[in-house]
Amino acid sequence: MQQERRRVSAVRAAVLALICVVPWVATGCGSAGDDAVAQGGTFQFVSPGGQTVITYDPPASRQRIADVYGPDVVTDQTIGLDDFAGKVVVINVWGSWCGPCRGEADDLEHVYAQNKASGVEFLGINLRDNRQAAKDFIIDRKVAFPSIYDFAGLTLAALTTPTSVVPTTIVLDRDHRPAAVFLKAITADELGSTVQRVLAEPVAQPQ
């Protein structure tokens, strides 16, 4: 697994060399209107008509995302989706410098607290941030779920979401396929209802 992750990291680095990640501001090389297609059975982000809320249904039409992992902001230990096998996962891309991220933090924490006992995990991706500022944000806001420290955007590149849209929230089903993507600040009501809908989906039978 570690050897495979090192190989994927090298691929990500090569991909990142071909795209731009704009520091500190939510503008730049990507946009909510950029389209992509599914390739090789792996999820590729698509935002038809520049939509900011996209759902992927029926579940059978969804594609798995690439492996997402990296160093924990606080502990520096490697964390990733593999740690949450078989669970619904909410991925949130954030930065302490991002006003909308600060605004939605309590909503995310509320939904996490309400659903973690039901088999829902949250995983943050901290983008383009000063590490100490990110740690302070987590401590000050009493954020209970872990976040990957991803200053350069290598982890974010694996998701194929627009690098210019922060915050972004992605709800993955139990097979870690995107069920919904929010390219905006999210509220507790809309995230909570989405998580409950995905939780209620039948568990896919092994083929």
Side-chain angles (χ1 to χ4, degrees):
M1 178 62 70
Q2 290 300 323
Q3 182 178 3
E4 177 63 17
R5 284 183 168 180
R6 285 194 294 269
R7 184 188 67 80
V8 174
S9 293
V11 173
R12 289 180 185 172
V15 170
L16 194 65
L18 300 178
I19 63 176
C20 62
V21 178
V22 180
W24 311 113
V25 293
T27 59
C29 62
S31 72
D34 290 345
D35 286 350
V37 296
Q39 297 177 342
T42 300
F43 173 80
Q44 295 285 310
F45 176 83
V46 177
S47 176
Q51 296 177 27
T52 57
V53 179
I54 308 102
T55 57
Y56 299 91
D57 288 305
S61 68
R62 299 171 188 161
Q63 299 287 339
R64 284 180 61 91
I65 63 172
D67 189 19
V68 173
Y69 62 90
D72 185 284
V73 170
V74 176
T75 68
D76 205 37
Q77 295 180 344
T78 299
I79 54 173
L81 282 179
D82 283 353
D83 299 321
F84 309 132
K87 294 188 176 183
V88 172
V89 180
V90 176
I91 295 178
N92 177 254
V93 183
W94 65 279
S96 65
W97 45 267
C98 163
C101 300
R102 295 193 293 272
E104 71 175 9
D106 289 343
D107 294 76
L108 289 163
E109 191 62 32
H110 177 72
V111 177
Y112 175 61
Q114 279 194 325
N115 292 279
K116 61 182 179 180
S118 300
V120 178
E121 297 288 349
F122 278 43
L123 180 63
I125 299 178
N126 176 250
L127 179 69
R128 216 63 184 163
D129 212 346
N130 174 280
R131 191 160 195 165
Q132 187 58 54
K135 288 181 181 180
D136 291 343
F137 182 95
I138 290 169
I139 294 169
D140 292 344
R141 299 277 179 164
K142 297 180 174 60
V143 178
F145 57 87
S147 284
I148 294 170
Y149 184 62
D150 189 35
F151 182 89
L154 296 178
T155 298
L156 186 59
L159 291 177
T160 76
T161 58
T163 57
S164 63
V165 182
V166 180
T168 287
T169 300
I170 304 168
V171 180
L172 305 178
D173 64 20
R174 291 183 180 87
D175 294 314
H176 295 171
R177 303 171 302 182
V181 175
F182 298 86
L183 298 169
K184 65 183 188 69
I186 198 166
T187 66
D189 287 344
E190 62 186 340
L191 180 57
S193 62
T194 301
V195 166
Q196 286 297 313
R197 175 175 63 81
V198 176
L199 267 176
E201 293 176 352
V203 178
Q205 296 299 316
Q207 298 181 352

